Amino acid sequence: MESLQENSLFRPFAYIDGNWVAADSGEQIEVDDPATGEIVGRMPKLGRAETERAIEAAESAWPAWRALTAQERADTLMKWYDLMLEHQDELAAIMTAEQGKPLKEAAGEIAYAASFLRWFAEEARRVYGDTIPAAKSNQRIVVLKQPVGVVGAITPWNFPSSMITRKAAAALAAGCPIVIKPASQTPFSATALAALAEQAGVPRGVFNVVPGRASEIAKAMTESPVVRKITFTGSTEVGSQLMAGAAEHIQKISLELGGNAPFLVFEDADLDAAVEGAMASKFRNAGQTCVCTNRFLVQSSVINAFSEKLAAAMNSELHVGPGTEEGVNIGPLIDDDAVAKVSEHIQDAVDKGAELLLGGHTHPLGGRFFTPTLVSHANADMKVAHEETFGPLAAVLPFDDEEDAVQMANDTRFGLASYFYANDLSRVWRVAEALEYGMVGINTGLISNASAPFGGVKASGLGREGSKYGIDEYMETKYLCMDLG
Ligand SMILES: NC(=O)C1=CN([C@@H]2O[C@H](COP(=O)(O)OP(=O)(O)OC[C@H]3O[C@@H](n4cnc5c(N)ncnc54)[C@H](OP(=O)(O)O)[C@@H]3O)[C@@H](O)[C@H]2O)C=CC1
Ligand SMILES: O=C(O)[C@H](O)CS(=O)(=O)O
């Protein structure tokens, strides 16, 4: 496969006000390939001063961008959408080189990322206001929706393209300019998107990418009264810090944070379907997604049958290796810390009595490759029951009855995604309504799509992305009261 430097969308520069720039300091971020540990590129490492310039550029670009009609903004988003699909292979190659996910999965993420551009191009033209019957006969009440203003965004490494477009598409559709700090481990996916935005005719200053020192850039965003909205996807710890920072200027904020997804299997479930859903929900991106199942809660009467079927599927369907290799569907983990965290969760579970059915160690390929692992008869005292593993570890815990299952599922500070398999209709409604989560997959392990409101409750965040709800995160509601005399 061609090197990153040969990729037509390789841009080792920040993108500010339509210009490709280096860091004022000349500092650079070394980006490595998780499969080999080799440096694949160097990205400028920006700080406060450059971020302030990006915010100024966004502020200057805002009036003209918001003055366009919704259709004109939609047309630009659709040109960007078409260019993403036209360059799907180049974008996927960049993603696999810096994030490690298998090429096929990376191409899938590019299509998913592009789908947000199309979705919000359509939503732009459906930002409706209201007229409300007034309390007085000589008055009229009108409600307007208006763009919130300059947006500051910080995005993660696990979905380096779609987590940017899920925010930027909604912001631009609403009429807002945006300054994005991508994860330092995956900055080239972000600047490749900027290259296509430029080609699509997104005006200078409307879309800016500032790779670099995270806390310094974040402070420049939250300390600027010009920035009216903060949007973040990543850890709960960082999200909490950003929420505190946003308080200074009362900035709107949306947070997509960590999860601890339960996957409940009731005795009336179709076990083969449940195993298929389990594989999809657990091993996507090698388990490195915020909506991956973290705990399998299985009714005692079927735990052995389910565990055996899951072990067989893992054994036959999962192939570990570099993302560039044909047939591989489990790539390397993002870094050594990620490997250590999975190992720690496995060791803790086994030390506390879990039964190791498959794997349990790093992969013979070495480095950041990890053997998909299954432990059964785990319990709530284990770290895997309360901490997000973010890797290819499936832990199966038994429950006795429905009440027990719901109590175990809700026994976490997180509340992002949850899943359950059952066929009894009244049970489906009871459990779906009792789960304290923002999203519930029922007889499915895959729930992410642009048309649905993605987000969580409790320590998993605030607000929703995608769907008709996602654009509201970038709008203000204004009430007009007209007195007709
Ligand atoms: N909800 C989700 O989708 C995700 C959840 N996570 C969870 O977070 C855990 C840690 O993953 P990790 O990637 O380290 O997540 P982080 O939250 O550390 O990183 C996410 C983004 O936040 C930035 N960031 C880091 N520290 C700060 C800070 N002090 N102020 C502002 N921005 C900051 C990072 O920049 P930089 O890269 O430069 O450090 C990156 O762009 C994972 O194990 C997982 O549990 C992680 C990713 C996605
Ligand atoms: O950050 C993540 O893990 C993503 O939000 C998951 S998804 O939207 O790609 O499912």
Side-chain angles (χ1 to χ4, degrees), residues 79-148:
K79 285 176 188 154
W80 195 4
Y81 167 79
D82 293 336
L83 286 167
M84 280 197 74
L85 295 186
E86 187 183 320
H87 293 276
Q88 187 173 16
D89 291 344
E90 296 103 301
L91 291 169
I94 289 172
M95 187 181 297
T96 296
E98 61 180 2
Q99 199 271 346
K101 66 179 69 173
L103 263 179
K104 190 175 174 185
E105 195 168 337
E109 184 188 334
I110 297 304
Y112 177 52
S115 74
F116 289 104
L117 295 175
R118 183 177 61 185
W119 175 266
F120 284 109
E122 294 160 353
E123 285 303 295
R125 296 164 56 209
R126 289 172 182 76
V127 175
Y128 299 131
D130 289 305
T131 58
I132 299 171
K136 297 179 180 176
S137 59
N138 65 329
Q139 288 188 339
R140 298 294 181 269
I141 294 178
V142 173
V143 176
L144 302 181
K145 292 290 183 80
Q146 295 184 311
V148 67

Side-chain angles (χ1 to χ4, degrees), residues 320 333 336 338-340 342-343 346 359-373:
V320 177
L333 300 185
D336 295 338
V339 173
V342 179
S343 300
I346 293 168
H361 46 76
T362 55
H363 192 273
L365 283 173
R368 301 173 203 170
F369 295 99
F370 208 99
T371 300
T373 294

Side-chain angles (χ1 to χ4, degrees), residues 264-270 299 301-302 399-406 420-435 440 442-443:
L264 284 67
V265 181
F266 288 94
E267 59 192 4
D268 66 321
D270 173 338
Q299 198 146 19
S301 54
V302 294
F399 69 80
D400 294 326
D401 56 30
E402 187 178 302
E403 186 182 352
D404 189 27
V406 169
F420 71 91
Y421 276 70
N423 281 303
D424 176 283
L425 192 56
S426 53
R427 163 174 286 163
V428 165
W429 274 107
R430 284 197 305 272
V431 174
E433 292 175 346
L435 288 171
V440 185
I442 301 167
N443 295 329

Side-chain angles (χ1 to χ4, degrees), residues 17-178:
D17 198 18
N19 301 310
W20 296 99
V21 298
D24 292 353
S25 65
E27 284 182 279
Q28 293 184 312
I29 302 165
E30 288 195 337
V31 179
D32 70 11
D33 176 347
T36 63
E38 290 166 12
I39 301 302
V40 292
R42 289 175 176 80
M43 180 64 76
K45 192 175 197 177
L46 276 60
R48 173 180 282 271
E50 299 98 322
T51 306
E52 289 172 347
R53 290 200 294 270
I55 293 168
E56 285 164 20
E59 186 183 27
S60 301
W62 185 28
W65 182 247
R66 70 179 291 179
L68 294 179
T69 64
Q71 185 62 65
E72 288 166 329
R73 291 197 295 269
D75 291 345
T76 301
L77 289 174
M78 283 308 294
K79 285 176 188 154
W80 195 4
Y81 167 79
D82 293 336
L83 286 167
M84 280 197 74
L85 295 186
E86 187 183 320
H87 293 276
Q88 187 173 16
D89 291 344
E90 296 103 301
L91 291 169
I94 289 172
M95 187 181 297
T96 296
E98 61 180 2
Q99 199 271 346
K101 66 179 69 173
L103 263 179
K104 190 175 174 185
E105 195 168 337
E109 184 188 334
I110 297 304
Y112 177 52
S115 74
F116 289 104
L117 295 175
R118 183 177 61 185
W119 175 266
F120 284 109
E122 294 160 353
E123 285 303 295
R125 296 164 56 209
R126 289 172 182 76
V127 175
Y128 299 131
D130 289 305
T131 58
I132 299 171
K136 297 179 180 176
S137 59
N138 65 329
Q139 288 188 339
R140 298 294 181 269
I141 294 178
V142 173
V143 176
L144 302 181
K145 292 290 183 80
Q146 295 184 311
V148 67
V150 174
V151 177
I154 298 175
T155 55
W157 51 264
N158 61 338
F159 288 86
S161 188
S162 55
M163 292 307 98
I164 288 178
T165 57
R166 190 157 80 178
K167 302 173 189 316
L172 270 59
C176 301
I178 191 167

Side-chain angles (χ1 to χ4, degrees), residues 174-226:
C176 301
I178 191 167
V179 177
I180 294 168
K181 192 216 82 66
S184 295
Q185 290 158 314
T186 55
F188 293 111
S189 293
T191 53
L193 283 175
L196 295 181
E198 189 179 41
Q199 289 179 38
V202 174
R204 57 188 311 155
V206 171
F207 182 83
N208 304 277
V209 179
V210 289
R213 287 186 291 277
S215 52
E216 195 177 318
I217 291 170
K219 278 173 71 71
M221 290 177 174
T222 57
E223 289 175 1
S224 167
V226 169

